[in-house]
Amino acid sequence: MNIIIFGPPGGGKGTQSDKIASKYQLFKISTGDLLRNEIKKETLLGKKIEGSVNSGILVSDNIINDLIEKVVSDKKYKNKIIFDGYPRNVQQAKNLNSLLKKYEQKIDLVISLKVSLDLIIKRITGRLVCSKCGNTFNEFFNLPPPNLTCCKDGTLKRRSDDNVETAKKRYETYENSTRPLLEYYSKSDLLKNIDGENKFEEIAAKIADSINLIQG
Ligand code: AMP
């Protein structure tokens, strides 16, 4: 089973994908995480994409396509992927279709989370991520431990693109480039719209219902 989860930045894709990945033994593939990792390691690719990531615009489709082909071609991940934050535009969705065909796989479910801009701003500007284990907290909804520590040696940090200005830019990018994907996938019967403003557990339960339906 391969799943796509998409929605606006700060829409809860990452936390819900973590939950789905562990519940259904899938691998979460977040293009945002892959890109941030390149930036952290200061690779050539990292240096090339840093400006785009920090200003909230999309990285080129070719770069993303290469990253995704490495994953999709790896037998370890075959039919066990939840794509978080990918595809981000119609061209990427078409690339993904060709790659999956090439490696004899398919998409089984596309989940779209709907969240308003006001809530997104709070989710993004309040988000704190543990530098060690990746655990996520929020200053408004899911308070971090006192003195901003998490696991051993972990400190809670803000992502460099988690500020109001970049959040608005990322939302604009989502509206212009990613939202048209809704129409693209609605033609294929795979799309499931879920209200992303409910409590975490309620959203997770709705997602699980959709997955259980396709699993039969
Ligand atoms: P995310 O962690 O998914 O919010 O992504 C953070 C940033 O990484 C985005 O604002 C983009 O600059 C870049 N990015 C992540 N995924 C993609 C993608 N599929 N295509 C292009 N750029 C991406």
Side-chain angles (χ1 to χ4, degrees):
M1 173 171 65
N2 290 318
I3 300 176
I4 292 172
I5 182 160
F6 83 99
K13 304 182 294 290
T15 30
Q16 290 295 344
S17 328
D18 283 336
K19 171 100 185 170
I20 300 167
S22 71
K23 186 165 176 172
Y24 295 93
Q25 282 95 48
L26 302 177
F27 294 95
K28 171 178 119 166
I29 301 299
S30 152
T31 40
D33 284 348
L34 294 175
L35 297 171
R36 276 185 291 279
N37 197 31
E38 296 289 331
I39 296 173
K40 195 170 163 190
K41 289 194 312 202
E42 300 183 357
T43 62
L44 258 175
L45 175 60
K47 292 201 171 97
K48 202 164 157 187
I49 59 173
E50 191 167 14
S52 303
V53 171
N54 285 338
S55 55
I57 58 172
L58 294 185
V59 168
S60 86
D61 290 343
N62 287 344
I63 292 178
I64 299 292
N65 203 36
D66 286 349
L67 287 176
I68 291 293
E69 179 150 16
K70 281 193 192 112
V71 175
V72 172
S73 61
D74 187 332
K75 288 206 175 75
K76 179 173 93 175
Y77 299 120
K78 189 164 183 180
N79 281 322
K80 287 187 192 145
I81 304 175
I82 172 152
F83 294 101
D84 162 15
Y86 171 85
R88 277 297 225 269
N89 58 32
V90 173
Q91 192 50 50
Q92 290 184 10
K94 289 182 177 166
N95 284 341
L96 178 61
N97 276 348
S98 327
L99 282 177
L100 289 174
K101 207 169 168 189
K102 182 171 168 190
Y103 296 101
E104 298 171 327
Q105 298 178 61
K106 65 179 174 61
I107 293 295
D108 297 286
L109 178 66
V110 180
I111 295 161
S112 163
L113 297 176
K114 285 196 184 314
V115 186
S116 68
L117 180 58
D118 281 355
L119 185 57
I120 284 166
I121 298 285
K122 277 191 168 172
R123 283 199 182 155
I124 286 185
T125 56
R127 174 160 55 189
L128 290 164
V129 185
C130 176
S131 58
K132 190 92 180 172
C133 69
N135 236 343
T136 305
F137 299 89
N138 187 289
E139 289 169 331
F140 300 103
F141 310 111
N142 173 21
L143 292 181
N147 65 29
L148 297 188
T149 54
C150 179
C151 54
K152 188 175 179 293
D153 300 333
T155 46
L156 296 182
K157 293 196 169 142
R158 254 176 239 290
R159 269 170 50 171
S160 57
D161 57 346
D162 275 351
N163 55 68
V164 177
E165 201 187 323
T166 312
K168 284 190 173 154
K169 181 69 203 161
R170 283 158 65 200
Y171 188 75
E172 195 184 305
T173 306
Y174 170 78
E175 286 287 313
N176 295 334
S177 305
T178 311
R179 194 187 277 280
L181 274 178
L182 275 176
E183 206 194 319
Y184 178 83
Y185 281 117
S186 61
K187 289 179 197 146
S188 66
D189 243 19
L190 298 172
L191 183 66
K192 179 78 195 157
N193 288 301
I194 292 184
D195 182 350
E197 301 213 346
N198 287 329
K199 288 209 179 90
F200 174 84
E201 291 76 15
E202 287 170 36
I203 302 170
K206 290 228 165 81
I207 295 177
D209 287 347
S210 304
I211 296 176
N212 295 340
L213 261 181
I214 60 162
Q215 282 192 320

